[in-house]
Structure formats: C-alpha cells, structure tokens
C-alpha cells in the first residue's frame, strides 16, 4: 500500500487493527505462560525467602495482660461452686430450725473440725461443699431429733500460693480460696514476652496437676483446664521455646507459639484461616 495514498480514516483503521493483533498476541502469550505454570511440577524443596512485611508482627496473646490490675482482689462475691473444698479457716453458716430456730457461724479449726452445738466435733476438712452439706445434715437429723438445718458459707479462708518463672512479679501470693490458675497469673501482672502461654504448669506437692494452654481460652473460649487452687500450689511459667510468624492473606497475622507436633495447618488455624484471595 502506498502510504502517500492512505487517508486519515484508513490510517486510524490500520492502527486499530495493529492494536487488536497486539492484544490477541499478548493474550495468547499469557494463557500459554499460565498453562505451563500449572503443569510444571511443584518443587517443595525451595528454601524460604525473606520478604518485607507491610507492618511488624506482634506476639499473639500477650495483649491480654496490657490492662492487668496492679492489685489482686479476691473473688469472694461469686456463688460457691459445689466442688469447693472445705478447709481450715472457712466460716460455715448454720440455720437451725424446728422447736426453736437459731442462726450461728462456726469456723473450721486447724484440725479440720467444726464444733456443732449439742453434737460435738464434726470433721469436714477435705470434703466438697456439697459433701459437707449432706454429711452435716445427716448428723443433725440423727442426733438432734425434731431439727433441720440449712447450710451456707460465710467468710472464706485465704491461702498462700507461689507463682514463678516468666511472670512480671514472681513470688508468694495470698489469694482467695476461690482463686483459679488464671486469677493467680493476673495477680502477678501477667506473663512476660519471654514466657510461654501454652505450657503453664500447675504443681501440687511435687506432682504436675495440669499443663495449661492459654490458647484454648483465647481462641476457643475453653477454660475447662483452669483449675481451682489449693494452699501451697506452685504455678510455673517456662520460657517460650518455639514461635512462628505468619503474614499475608490470613485473617490474623501474628507471631504464634507452636508445639513440637503442630504443623502449618495448625498455624493457619491460629491465624484465623485464609482470606478468599489466598493462593495455595
């Protein structure tokens, strides 16, 4: 074609044709590249490459202690749980009714007894609250004919425990007899950034009672392993051993503590799962 004879309209049509051919060629190229990428065997032996993050990752879970109270208020204003263990120093309230009604409070002695009117000493230490009520009710019914008794708890004893390891203020603490492992951790100001959230040990008379995993509470709301404390208990928070950071297309990018048997699937679960735009 003689370029001198081409009109402006024809030049525009030729340019559109060139652009269309270029787009089609590029589309074929990208489709071929995508097909080759999908068919290419995946190499799982590739080494991880360091990539820059949009924002620094934080250690998951430690923000729980940012507003930790500086003093520890004993939990004395909650209903008495049925499995509460009676011990020396507890005050038991009795409401005796029948021929004559009476109300009085008896403190459990150091020997674990209560001295009940007209009955004598009754050993109650070591019994649960429910067991104590049933036992004392039976004793009163057998020895005080015509009387019945209602039982409640008054002021509860305090007890000394020890919290050691990677906490802000390790040492000896006097807490309420209703306190649990989590209550005691808060009493110290919380766990330091070097401490494990997943292997908190409760020890009683040299034996390990439970290895408490705070992730169960933080991620699942499960506090079934949060044990009630007894006098002389020791809570030990060991240093953290393994932690892995995860970022990218996950819902909760953070640094997570992991255990020896856990896999990448567990890490993704802790991170809240993958976003819809994630590529596997």
């Amino acid at each position: 074609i003689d370029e001198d004879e081409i009109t402006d309209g024809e030049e525009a049509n030729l340019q559109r044709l060139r652009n269309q051919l270029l787009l089609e060629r590029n589309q074929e190229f990208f489709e071929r590249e995508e097909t080759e990428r999908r068919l290419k065997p995946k190499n799982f032996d590739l080494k991880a490459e360091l990539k820059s993050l949009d924002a620094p990752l934080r250690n998951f879970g430690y923000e729980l202690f940012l507003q930790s109270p500086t003093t520890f208020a004993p939990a004395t204003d909650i209903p008495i749980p049925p499995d509460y263990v009676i011990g020396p120093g507890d005050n038991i309230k009795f409401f005796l009714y029948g021929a004559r009604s009476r109300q009085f409070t008896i403190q459990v002695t150091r020997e674990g007894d209560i001295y009940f009117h007209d009955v004598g000493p009754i050993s109650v230490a070591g019994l649960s609250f429910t067991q104590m009520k049933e036992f004392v009710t039976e004793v009163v019914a057998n020895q005080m004919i015509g009387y019945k008794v209602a039982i409640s708890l008054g002021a509860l004893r305090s007890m000394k425990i020890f919290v050691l390891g990677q906490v802000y203020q390790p040492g000896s603490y006097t807490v309420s007899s209703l306190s649990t492992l989590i209550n005691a951790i808060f009493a110290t100001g919380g766990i330091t950034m070097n401490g494990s959230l997943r292997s908190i040990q409760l020890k009683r008379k040299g034996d390990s009672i439970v290895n408490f995993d705070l992730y169960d509470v933080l991620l699942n709301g499960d506090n079934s392993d949060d044990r009630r404390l007894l006098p002389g208990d020791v809570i030990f928070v060991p240093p953290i051993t393994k932690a892995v950071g995860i970022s990218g297309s996950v819902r909760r990018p953070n640094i997570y503590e992991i255990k020896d048997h856990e896999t990448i699937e567990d890490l993704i679960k802790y991170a809240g799962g993958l976003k819809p735009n994630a590529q596997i």
Side-chain angles (χ1 to χ4, degrees):
I1 301 176
D2 190 350
E3 294 184 358
D4 295 335
E5 299 178 358
I6 296 178
T7 64
D8 293 340
E10 292 173 339
E11 176 65 27
N13 290 334
L14 287 174
Q15 186 61 41
R16 282 196 292 270
L17 180 60
R18 294 192 194 98
N19 292 340
Q20 182 65 30
L21 291 174
L22 182 61
L23 289 174
E24 292 177 357
R25 187 181 305 165
N26 290 340
Q27 183 65 27
E28 292 177 0
F29 173 77
F30 288 129
E31 290 178 354
R32 185 168 60 253
E33 286 288 315
E34 179 66 15
T35 301
E36 292 177 355
R37 186 185 69 81
R38 291 182 178 180
L39 295 178
K40 185 179 180 179
K42 293 182 173 59
N43 182 8
F44 294 100
D45 296 329
L46 294 176
K47 295 183 179 179
E49 297 180 0
L50 181 64
K51 295 184 178 180
S52 61
L53 302 176
D54 296 334
L57 297 179
R58 298 186 302 174
N59 292 74
F60 175 76
Y62 295 91
E63 64 274 9
L64 179 67
F65 305 109
L66 291 180
Q67 301 298 326
S68 183
T70 56
T71 60
F72 181 69
T76 58
D77 56 349
I78 63 175
I80 303 300
D83 59 347
Y84 174 78
V85 178
I86 303 297
D90 283 331
N91 290 274
I92 306 176
K93 290 184 175 181
F94 296 95
F95 303 88
L96 199 65
Y97 56 96
R100 187 179 62 177
S101 297
R102 285 185 290 172
Q103 176 180 337
F104 48 89
T105 300
I106 304 176
Q107 186 177 78
V108 181
T109 67
R110 291 185 178 182
E111 292 76 25
D113 300 330
I114 56 173
Y115 289 89
F116 201 92
H117 297 284
D118 304 325
V119 173
I122 303 175
S123 180
V124 295
L127 299 178
S128 69
F129 179 54
T130 301
Q131 292 172 335
M132 183 272 295
K133 289 177 62 176
E134 294 175 351
F135 179 55
V136 174
T137 300
E138 182 179 356
V139 170
V140 171
N142 291 335
Q143 299 192 28
M144 300 182 67
I145 306 302
Y147 282 94
K148 293 184 179 180
V149 65
I151 303 172
S152 181
L153 285 181
L156 302 179
R157 70 186 186 274
S158 296
M159 59 185 182
K160 181 172 289 187
I161 63 166
F162 299 89
V163 187
L164 306 172
Q166 303 298 314
V167 293
Y168 282 106
Q169 295 179 347
S172 173
Y173 287 83
T174 300
V175 297
S176 163
S177 55
L178 289 176
S179 300
T180 66
L181 186 150
I182 291 181
N183 296 143
I185 293 294
F186 272 98
T188 69
I191 299 174
T192 69
M193 297 293 289
N194 294 325
S196 170
L197 299 183
R198 309 199 60 192
S199 299
I200 305 172
Q201 303 169 19
L202 173 60
K203 299 182 178 182
R204 183 171 298 159
K205 296 180 180 179
D207 297 327
S208 181
I209 302 300
V210 66
N211 263 14
F212 183 68
D213 189 342
L214 196 56
Y215 275 23
D216 290 338
V217 178
L218 296 173
L219 297 174
N220 305 316
D222 179 9
N223 66 341
S224 57
D225 283 338
D226 184 21
R227 303 298 178 85
R228 188 169 292 108
L229 302 177
L230 294 179
D233 279 355
V234 176
I235 299 171
F236 179 72
V237 180
I240 189 172
T241 55
K242 293 184 179 181
V244 177
I246 181 170
S247 183
S249 297
V250 291
R251 302 184 186 278
R252 198 166 44 228
N254 276 305
I255 298 174
Y256 295 90
E257 182 179 354
I258 60 171
K259 297 183 177 180
D260 291 338
H261 64 276
E262 292 180 329
T263 64
I264 186 66
E265 293 182 358
D266 297 299
L267 181 61
I268 293 174
K269 180 182 69 175
Y270 297 151
L274 299 174
K275 292 182 180 179
N277 62 344
Q279 295 185 1
I280 302 178

